[in-house]
Amino acid sequence: MDDAVDLLMTQWARERPDLDVWPMGIMGRISRLSRLLDRELKEFFAAHGLERWEFDVLATLRRSGPPYELTAGALNRAAMVTSGAITNRIDRMAARGLVERIPDSGDRRSIRVRLTGRGLALVDEVLEPHVANEARLLASLDPRERDHLAAALRTLLASLGDTTLG
Amino acid sequence: MDDAVDLLMTQWARERPDLDVWPMGIMGRISRLSRLLDRELKEFFAAHGLERWEFDVLATLRRSGPPYELTAGALNRAAMVTSGAITNRIDRMAARGLVERIPDSGDRRSIRVRLTGRGLALVDEVLEPHVANEARLLASLDPRERDHLAAALRTLLASLGDTTLG
DNA sequence: GTTGATAATCTCAACGTTGAAATAACAGCA
DNA sequence: TGCTGTTATTTCAACGTTGAGATTATCAAC
């Protein structure tokens, strides 16, 4: 079964037979998959009254364990966005009562962002169906393919230096 | 070698041992890779005086073959963006003299976007170093791994319905 | 030929991110 | 104690996309 990237590479083979465009077979697919999967996740979270970025923040705090708090800096490294974006996200989530800003006792430049009871309840409620939804999106791969795929992607990520969550 | 997603999954295993979060091993990596690779491509194109989206439009037209023209609709399906975004892109690229709008003789609702001589020269000049740059970013994979990775991603993309470029 | 449904593009306000500058605080060292 | 360089967060204007609506054109059916 051909996908959109196969068509793209066929076009290049005809137009520029002098070039071997094999990297596009990976780069193009990661890019298109990312967009398609983002759309799916967006739709899923909308059905649960959440924006995707809201869930990302909630989940980052949740998986950090009690007391469910992280600095703003840790959150922006985890989300791979700039500090301005995180300030904005915290503002809006605090307004919704999902997180609260706590002054950091050890460093007055820092703030700690803490999950409220409501935020904790929400993320714990949505997490399982979210994972089930992700599994549905990946259902075309059998378990062996999944493992190989995850391993190859890990190799790539690590080679690009993505080894910490901040 | 662990990557950021391994850390993330370890955290979930500790906090929610009742859940098997294996899908995150793939979804999380595709998402993070997409961001990291986008940054790299952005940097590369900036060094050549181009925005990433500009190159995408140029390349889409170039690989369609002579006379290097496509409708606006074909371009927005290929780029996976909305029609408003494509209108905006065409405006700016036409202002730079990289493409021109041609009325479609067969359908007066349509326009055809055609590569100018300057646009064609630019994309042909940047293409080879671009592919080389992509190959550099993927250098951590050996040829067999590349093929398996591309195949698994193809399976996924096709299962999500991404089988045409418009 | 007229009607009604569909399609292609453009318009525009709302939205969120970026990137850079501003502010405040820490840390090491003379 | 006072410098100097660094770090954490916030602020804000610029930018590009989205999503919905407006416009214009096509096509099939009557």
Side-chain angles (χ1 to χ4, degrees):
Chain A
M1 178 66 170
D2 281 7
D3 65 5
V5 176
D6 283 320
L7 301 179
L8 178 159
M9 292 176 75
T10 300
Q11 291 185 310
W12 280 125
R14 186 185 65 231
E15 291 300 316
R16 288 295 301 265
D18 57 312
L19 279 185
D20 180 357
V21 298
W22 71 265
M24 294 188 187
I26 294 174
M27 303 288 285
R29 287 185 174 100
I30 289 175
S31 175
R32 292 185 76 85
L33 272 171
S34 180
R35 277 184 173 279
L36 285 172
L37 294 171
D38 273 355
R39 281 186 203 164
E40 296 278 351
L41 296 189
K42 176 176 185 164
E43 192 175 337
F44 172 84
F45 287 122
H48 291 261
L50 277 170
E51 299 290 334
R52 209 212 147 167
W53 57 262
E54 287 180 313
F55 178 79
D56 283 344
V57 173
L58 293 176
T60 303
L61 292 168
R62 175 62 182 86
R63 70 174 189 257
S64 74
Y68 307 121
E69 41 174 77
L70 290 171
T71 63
L75 285 174
N76 73 38
R77 283 187 293 277
M80 305 180 88
V81 295
T82 60
S83 60
I86 281 296
T87 295
N88 186 18
R89 290 179 180 189
I90 297 169
D91 285 347
R92 281 174 293 162
M93 292 182 71
R96 275 193 70 182
L98 298 175
V99 302
E100 51 192 346
R101 277 192 174 82
I102 311 258
D104 186 308
S105 50
D107 183 340
R108 272 181 302 174
R109 290 170 305 179
S110 267
I111 58 154
R112 302 192 73 80
V113 179
R114 180 190 295 169
L115 224 45
T116 61
R118 184 154 161 243
L120 178 59
L122 183 55
V123 66
D124 271 333
E125 176 189 321
V126 175
L127 186 59
E128 182 163 358
H130 164 58
V131 175
N133 183 51
E134 289 192 324
R136 173 185 70 81
L137 294 169
L138 302 178
S140 61
L141 301 173
D142 64 41
R144 209 172 54 90
E145 288 175 316
R146 292 172 197 164
D147 290 346
H148 287 163
L149 174 55
L153 296 173
R154 175 192 294 111
T155 299
L156 256 183
L157 260 188
S159 82
L160 294 169
D162 192 41
T163 54
T164 62
L165 284 166
Chain B
M1 179 64 169
D2 281 8
D3 65 4
V5 176
D6 283 319
L7 301 179
L8 178 159
M9 292 176 75
T10 300
Q11 291 185 310
W12 280 125
R14 186 185 65 231
E15 291 299 317
R16 290 294 302 264
D18 58 309
L19 280 185
D20 181 357
V21 299
W22 71 266
M24 294 187 186
I26 294 174
M27 303 287 285
R29 286 185 174 101
I30 289 175
S31 174
R32 293 184 76 86
L33 272 172
S34 179
R35 276 184 174 279
L36 285 172
L37 294 171
D38 273 356
R39 280 185 202 162
E40 296 279 351
L41 295 189
K42 175 175 186 166
E43 193 175 335
F44 171 84
F45 288 121
H48 291 261
L50 276 171
E51 299 290 333
R52 205 203 156 184
W53 57 262
E54 287 180 312
F55 177 80
D56 283 345
V57 173
L58 293 177
T60 303
L61 291 168
R62 176 62 183 84
R63 71 174 187 256
S64 74
Y68 307 120
E69 39 174 79
L70 290 171
T71 63
L75 285 174
N76 73 41
R77 283 187 293 277
M80 304 180 88
V81 295
T82 60
S83 61
I86 281 295
T87 296
N88 186 18
R89 291 180 180 188
I90 297 169
D91 285 347
R92 281 176 292 163
M93 292 181 71
R96 276 193 70 181
L98 299 175
V99 302
E100 51 192 346
R101 277 191 174 82
I102 312 259
D104 187 307
S105 50
D107 183 339
R108 273 182 301 175
R109 291 169 305 179
S110 267
I111 58 154
R112 302 192 72 80
V113 179
R114 180 190 295 169
L115 225 43
T116 61
R118 182 151 163 249
L120 177 59
L122 183 55
V123 65
D124 271 334
E125 176 189 322
V126 175
L127 186 59
E128 182 163 357
H130 163 59
V131 175
N133 183 51
E134 289 191 324
R136 173 186 69 83
L137 294 169
L138 301 177
S140 62
L141 301 172
D142 64 42
R144 210 172 53 89
E145 289 175 316
R146 293 173 197 164
D147 290 347
H148 287 163
L149 174 55
L153 296 174
R154 175 192 293 110
T155 299
L156 255 185
L157 260 188
S159 80
L160 294 170
D162 193 41
T163 54
T164 63
L165 283 166

